[in-house]
Amino acid sequence: MHPWSPFWLSAMLDLEAGSFERGVAFWRGVTGFSLSPTRGARGEFATLLPPTGDDYLRVQRLDDGPGRVHLDVNVADPRAAADRAVGLGAAELADRGYVAMRSPGGFVFCFVAHPASVRPTPMTWPDGHHSMVYQVCLDLPRSSYDVEAAFWAGVFEASPEVLARRPEFAWLRPDRQLALDVLLQRTDDETGPVTAHLDLGTTDRDAEVARHLALGAVADPDEEFWTVLTDPTGRRYCVTTRDPATGRLT
């Protein structure tokens, strides 16, 4: 394993200051995770703590700018990983021990060295169904898809696995199981920034969607295997008919 090889992947929910408390409460309800003490110079960071396993979801209160999702890619040597990513087409934004980066399509992410290895088990809800945030989907406009897909395949050292029935989707499956699966989606937009959203897997999509609606989410019409929802802060995400422990169709 190289010093730049990812061994864990975390998602950071970047929340606008005015909706931070509301967003944290919602995602605590969605995940069933507890909240760590805040940290950072302004108490702007916190971690969602699963009952089992290592953490992989965090929150940040932004001083300005719109809410978003960014990724923390865990590696043994962030400096080596950053230098390699620059060679793949990324731009370095700052080195603070962790290294902040921007992908060729403009997506912000960080290389970090926090130790983690144990994937949490899915939550079991009172009616017996299971769910968990199991995947991050990178939404890639058509004009930047090829370059961006090649970049992320290089970062994660994995070839895209295109879904035959829906060729606009491709998974990146590294040799090592990360905390989050990585899905690439070619969007209908010709241009624009690369963004990301989270996917929850569940053994009972109807029950899981109903639980989210009770927490304050709004749902779009169902697709075949997923439902698109919007959280109370305006963040879109999906609930999918996939085993949250394996990422496979239920």
Side-chain angles (χ1 to χ4, degrees), residues 61 76 79 86 90 93 103 156 163-164 173 200 217 221 242 247:
R61 187 181 65 251
R79 182 66 263 160
V86 169
L93 302 178
S103 77
F156 289 108
L163 182 61
R173 300 195 188 279
L200 289 93
R242 287 185 174 269

Side-chain angles (χ1 to χ4, degrees), residues 88 103-107 137-154 158-164 166-172 182-195:
L88 294 171
S103 77
F107 185 77
C137 180
L138 295 171
D139 302 311
L140 313 179
R142 290 196 300 267
S143 62
S144 60
Y145 180 85
D146 290 342
V147 170
E148 196 75 3
F151 171 76
W152 289 106
S159 298
E161 179 184 314
V162 177
L163 182 61
R166 299 291 296 265
E168 69 271 28
F169 293 106
W171 279 283
L172 295 178
V182 180
L183 179 67
L184 307 178
Q185 177 178 202
R186 186 179 63 250
T187 69
D188 292 332
D189 298 323
E190 181 61 33
T191 61
V194 174
T195 59

Side-chain angles (χ1 to χ4, degrees), residues 57-81:
L57 296 173
R58 295 170 184 156
V59 293
Q60 176 179 201
R61 187 181 65 251
L62 299 174
D63 291 331
D64 53 38
R68 62 186 180 187
V69 173
H70 82 257
L71 298 179
D72 285 349
V73 183
N74 299 55
V75 295
D77 187 338
R79 182 66 263 160

Side-chain angles (χ1 to χ4, degrees), residues 191-222:
T191 61
V194 174
T195 59
H197 70 265
L198 298 180
D199 291 337
L200 289 93
T202 182
T203 54
D204 187 333
R205 181 155 49 117
D206 289 342
E208 183 68 7
V209 169
R211 195 175 68 82
H212 290 226
L213 296 179
L215 291 168
V218 176
D220 288 351
D222 285 350

Side-chain angles (χ1 to χ4, degrees), residues 13-101:
L13 300 170
D14 297 325
L15 298 161
E16 297 176 15
S19 59
F20 181 78
E21 299 296 337
R22 184 165 67 251
V24 169
F26 177 81
W27 284 96
R28 286 189 65 186
V30 161
T31 60
F33 293 177
S34 59
L35 188 68
S36 75
T38 58
R39 59 187 181 275
R42 300 176 304 282
E44 69 271 31
F45 297 108
T47 300
L48 297 177
L49 300 171
T52 64
D54 292 318
D55 70 82
Y56 66 105
L57 296 173
R58 295 170 184 156
V59 293
Q60 176 179 201
R61 187 181 65 251
L62 299 174
D63 291 331
D64 53 38
R68 62 186 180 187
V69 173
H70 82 257
L71 298 179
D72 285 349
V73 183
N74 299 55
V75 295
D77 187 338
R79 182 66 263 160
D83 291 342
R84 180 173 178 272
V86 169
L88 294 171
E92 182 173 329
L93 302 178
D95 185 345
R96 302 185 179 97
Y98 66 88
V99 187
M101 310 290 296

